[in-house]
Amino acid sequence: MHSIILRTATVFLKYLLLVFSVYLLLGGHNEPGGGFVGGLVAASAFILFAIAYNVEEARKRLRIEPAVLIGIGLLTALFSGLIPVILNKSFLTGVWFHGHSEIFGDIHIGSPLFFDVGVYLVVLGVTVKIIFSLLEEV
Amino acid sequence: MSHIIILPILIPLITAAVSLLGWKKRIYQKNMGVVGAFLLLVVAVYLLMHVYRNGIIAVQMGSWIAPFGITLVCDLFSAIMVLLAAIIAFATILYSCFTVDKDRESFGYYPLMHLMMMGICGAFLTGDIFNLYVWFEVLLISSFVLLVLGGEKQQMEGAIKYVTLNLLSSTFFLVAVGILYGLLGTLNMADLAIKIKTISEPGLITLVSVLFLMAFGIKAAIFPMFFWLPASYHTPPVAVSAVFAGLLTKVGVYALIRVFTLIFIQDTEVTHSLILGIAAFTMVTGVLGAAAQNEFRRILSFHIISQIGYMIMGLGLFTKAALAGSVFYIIHHIIVKSNLFLVSGFAHKVKGSFHLSKLGDMYRDHPYVSIVFLVSALSLAGLPPLSGFFAKFILIKSALEVGQYGIVVVALIVGLLTLFSMTKIWQEVFWKKMEGSKPVLSSVSGFALSGMFIPMVWLALMTVCIGFGAQFVFGLSLQTAEQLMDPTSYVAAVLQSQQ
């Protein structure tokens, strides 16, 4: 689509959407959001790019082949399930790390975070893959 | 050591994920596929040995105790099914390496195969009925893609029927699970087994059980809901057909046996008699359908249906010996049936057709393959000393014990007709002289042919071994049947494992 307005806006919107997607991902543990929604928002950034410019350009911006993203996402989610197994707990049990630092205050990092990151990547990969394939076919 | 129970699910998943990292790298994905299938096989053997020695194992996912969380349970029946799945996966993936074309390979054939295996193993291992639904979806969605991968016209035609009917069955399943949850407030199968005894309206439970029978029945291709199977199984590449033929319908049979031995046992007069009746019709229609076919894989597809009849016949009779017969039959059938499909693929590769009329001279050109076919085919028909004989023998004997003479007559006649079908294939494909055919017709390299031959021989040898080691396999089946008939140990394992 040749629209100067859309193209210019996309450049800015892309960053906005990506930052927002990470915000959704991280906030998802306690508030509405999570890996799935975050992944969709992130995918929309690249899809917008593909519509404003073209798929090739969007692929370049994504840098990684969507199928590879799916693979990385699956492995990340798996990893979160396997952490407790190493600690001799049942698969997928939530394991939490509690720490304290001067700058960030109290930190709680749990294995579910990695699961959500995995979901984020899988959703991003799948959505982008589907939309790119459809756009390329047109 | 109970962590081992998640490995049959994790290994295919990891294999698929790692394969995806090398998207479009065919050789890499192929290698990963073979390695993953081999690891799955090793783990499956170990799992069966572990369960055989130490009894049922159960693990609560995420440490949410049963009945609230999802439990993975592995009793002997599950372990046997996982092992069979792993055997077929390994054999067919080896076979795929020499038969599947480059296009399919570069569009994720091997990762998909492993995702489907994940779904199959998950379905065998879960102890939660809604989770069972989820695994069904996992394996179905992968199988949809495998079925249409390549995008040939007849594949699409087969896929439409396959997808529609399987979605219908999933809907039945979901509705049934919903009603069951509404009645009993739990989804854990062991917990269901306990709570179902307290229900005051047995009629409602019977109704739900029939819904389950329909849902699983469509997947298992029982009478009268089998027509999607012969319409679709002959369309994808042979390796895919072989996995579908060997495993997918058997997941339905597994689910039937599981719920009708564990949960719905309060009104066996109605439900199990119904199953027995269906078994008889399934056998007969399957074998008659096969007799009318002239396409290699379609004949075999119809035979799957008639064989499903034998498997659920044991369930319908609902005695320990009969269930042991069913388990034995499943063990025998999965290996033999997949192998027959692999042989049909070999014939197609060297002769260029699946139609009996266009095939011939296989015995002259490939005597060893012919022997492999003969072993499998005679085993399917039930000739001693091969595995099929013992499977049928146990079933028929147990039917005689409870005085169900009708089903005995049907089973014997169907066995005879199966033999007729198999001799038809033998006659047409292996013995018939083809006019004007060259002795060696093929652009196919000898290397690829011997590569295809290895898994076929392996499966054929297993059939022979099951036949000669029938005593041991029967012992195992009997033990499995004991566990199935008396669910207390299953229930205890699930509800008390607080790991």
Side-chain angles (χ1 to χ4, degrees):
Chain A
M1 196 188 292
H2 287 285
S3 157
I4 297 277
I5 299 171
L6 185 63
R7 285 191 176 186
T8 318
T10 303
V11 176
F12 298 103
L13 276 176
K14 196 183 87 176
Y15 294 109
L16 207 60
L17 284 167
L18 285 178
V19 170
F20 184 57
S21 77
V22 175
Y23 169 77
L24 281 173
L25 165 69
L26 294 178
H29 195 76
N30 300 318
E31 284 157 32
F36 194 88
V37 189
L40 282 180
V41 173
S44 68
F46 294 101
I47 293 162
L48 193 61
F49 211 89
I51 293 170
Y53 292 82
N54 53 46
V55 175
E56 222 172 287
E57 197 69 21
R59 270 190 201 279
K60 260 186 222 158
R61 298 296 160 111
L62 187 62
R63 283 160 203 264
I64 305 174
E65 160 70 35
V68 178
L69 268 182
I70 302 173
I72 297 173
L74 284 175
L75 288 177
T76 319
L78 259 175
F79 171 69
S80 98
L82 286 174
I83 299 170
V85 174
I86 298 162
L87 301 171
N88 206 21
K89 287 180 184 165
S90 190
F91 184 62
L92 285 174
T93 308
V95 181
W96 290 85
F97 164 78
H98 303 282
H100 185 83
S101 84
E102 294 301 321
I103 311 166
F104 299 108
D106 286 332
I107 301 174
H108 308 282
I109 295 179
S111 57
L113 175 67
F114 293 103
F115 193 85
D116 253 358
V117 173
V119 173
Y120 179 94
L121 292 173
V122 172
V123 172
L124 173 62
V126 170
T127 318
V128 164
K129 173 113 192 131
I130 293 171
I131 303 281
F132 282 4
S133 307
L134 288 175
L135 280 176
E136 272 167 342
E137 206 139 288
V138 173
Chain B
M1 259 337 280
S2 54
H3 287 310
I4 190 185
I5 196 173
I6 54 174
L7 284 180
I9 300 172
L10 285 193
I11 290 173
L13 179 58
I14 293 174
T15 311
V18 172
S19 307
L20 281 176
L21 296 183
W23 186 243
K24 301 264 176 188
K25 290 179 190 149
R26 284 192 309 113
I27 306 297
Y28 166 78
Q29 292 196 343
K30 195 185 266 191
N31 292 339
M32 287 312 299
V34 175
V35 171
F38 180 71
L39 286 179
L40 182 64
L41 183 61
V42 172
V43 166
V45 170
Y46 183 78
L47 185 67
L48 179 59
M49 276 165 37
H50 187 82
V51 173
Y52 186 68
R53 289 203 195 109
N54 307 329
I56 302 171
I57 45 176
V59 178
Q60 317 293 350
M61 291 296 97
S63 302
W64 296 98
I65 53 166
F68 307 107
I70 289 168
T71 316
L72 293 189
V73 201
C74 189
D75 61 352
L76 271 175
F77 190 33
S78 300
I80 290 172
M81 295 307 286
V82 168
L83 177 59
L84 289 169
I87 289 170
I88 297 307
F90 187 58
T92 47
I93 284 180
L94 269 187
Y95 188 87
S96 307
C97 290
F98 302 97
T99 50
V100 173
D101 51 278
K102 286 178 184 167
D103 275 349
R104 286 190 173 90
E105 281 184 343
S106 52
F107 277 97
Y109 174 82
Y110 294 103
L112 277 166
M113 204 72 155
H114 274 279
L115 285 175
M116 189 170 80
M117 289 317 298
M118 174 177 81
I120 292 172
C121 291
F124 291 150
L125 289 173
T126 186
D128 183 284
I129 202 150
F130 186 74
N131 198 229
L132 181 65
Y133 172 80
V134 175
W135 289 122
F136 263 117
E137 290 302 295
V138 171
L139 77 89
L140 278 176
I141 288 171
S142 321
S143 72
F144 292 161
V145 184
L146 278 173
L147 195 60
V148 296
L149 197 66
E152 290 162 23
K153 194 183 161 205
Q154 61 157 356
Q155 277 187 301
M156 295 299 167
E157 198 191 321
I160 288 171
K161 293 160 191 158
Y162 178 83
V163 171
T164 317
L165 275 151
N166 275 293
L167 284 182
L168 191 69
S169 127
S170 295
T171 317
F172 276 124
F173 189 1
L174 199 59
V175 169
V177 168
I179 298 174
L180 201 59
Y181 186 66
L183 283 174
L184 298 167
T186 181
L187 291 170
N188 183 299
M189 292 203 264
D191 200 33
L192 281 172
I194 297 174
K195 291 214 171 122
I196 209 151
K197 288 173 191 149
T198 64
I199 205 86
S200 55
E201 294 163 275
L204 211 50
I205 295 292
T206 310
L207 189 74
V208 178
S209 73
V210 174
L211 263 183
F212 274 105
L213 180 61
M214 283 182 75
F216 296 144
I218 293 177
K219 290 191 204 295
I222 60 174
F223 180 85
M225 301 170 285
F226 56 81
F227 32 83
W228 58 271
L229 191 149
S232 60
Y233 271 23
H234 64 288
T235 57
V238 176
V240 177
S241 297
V243 183
F244 282 21
L247 293 177
L248 288 195
T249 44
K250 259 53 73 183
V251 182
V253 174
Y254 166 84
L256 275 177
I257 292 183
R258 179 64 80 203
V259 299
F260 281 98
T261 55
L262 183 63
I263 304 173
F264 301 115
I265 44 174
Q266 78 295 342
D267 196 4
T268 51
E269 281 287 300
V270 176
T271 50
H272 290 68
S273 312
L274 181 64
I275 292 174
L276 195 63
I278 290 174
F281 277 106
T282 311
M283 283 186 229
V284 174
T285 43
V287 85
L288 291 181
Q293 297 299 322
N294 275 312
E295 208 254 28
F296 206 145
R297 283 197 285 178
R298 280 183 78 101
I299 296 179
L300 295 178
S301 299
F302 272 103
H303 275 294
I304 299 175
I305 299 164
S306 82
Q307 310 279 309
I308 296 285
Y310 285 99
M311 289 172 219
I312 63 166
M313 165 184 164
L315 178 63
L317 293 168
F318 204 53
T319 63
K320 198 170 83 181
L323 270 177
S326 281
V327 174
F328 197 117
Y329 210 100
I330 293 174
I331 298 173
H332 140 76
H333 170 87
I334 289 182
I335 289 168
V336 167
K337 185 51 89 182
S338 299
N339 205 12
L340 286 172
F341 270 88
L342 296 184
V343 174
S344 80
F346 191 96
H348 179 255
K349 196 91 171 177
V350 293
K351 302 285 180 188
S353 176
F354 283 113
H355 284 275
L356 295 192
S357 56
K358 291 177 189 156
L359 289 163
D361 278 336
M362 275 288 284
Y363 183 73
R364 188 191 65 194
D365 299 345
H366 301 279
Y368 296 111
V369 177
S370 311
I371 291 167
V372 166
F373 173 81
L374 202 61
V375 166
S376 303
L378 294 181
S379 179
L380 191 78
L383 260 61
L386 297 159
S387 59
F389 167 73
F390 293 102
K392 287 201 172 84
F393 176 73
I394 299 164
L395 277 172
I396 289 170
K397 186 161 174 287
S398 56
L400 286 175
E401 274 165 12
V402 288
Q404 293 281 5
Y405 301 110
I407 194 95
V408 171
V409 173
V410 172
L412 288 173
I413 291 174
V414 169
L416 207 63
L417 288 172
T418 310
L419 189 62
F420 159 74
S421 257
M422 291 300 128
T423 43
K424 183 168 92 179
I425 297 180
W426 176 258
Q427 190 85 10
E428 293 284 317
V429 179
F430 294 89
W431 264 0
K432 186 179 67 184
K433 279 220 177 336
M434 275 172 82
E435 279 173 32
S437 87
K438 288 160 278 178
V440 181
L441 169 155
S442 66
S443 53
V444 194
S445 72
F447 176 67
L449 288 185
S450 42
M452 290 161 77
F453 189 51
I454 292 167
M456 283 154 49
V457 172
W458 184 48
L459 291 180
L461 278 178
M462 288 197 67
T463 314
V464 176
C465 287
I466 294 172
F468 283 107
Q471 183 72 37
F472 172 75
V473 182
F474 178 64
L476 188 69
S477 312
L478 205 61
Q479 225 174 321
T480 310
E482 259 167 46
Q483 278 185 359
L484 289 171
M485 286 302 281
D486 179 21
T488 43
S489 55
Y490 181 94
V491 173
V494 173
L495 295 180
Q496 279 164 18
S497 70
Q498 303 292 351
Q499 210 224 341

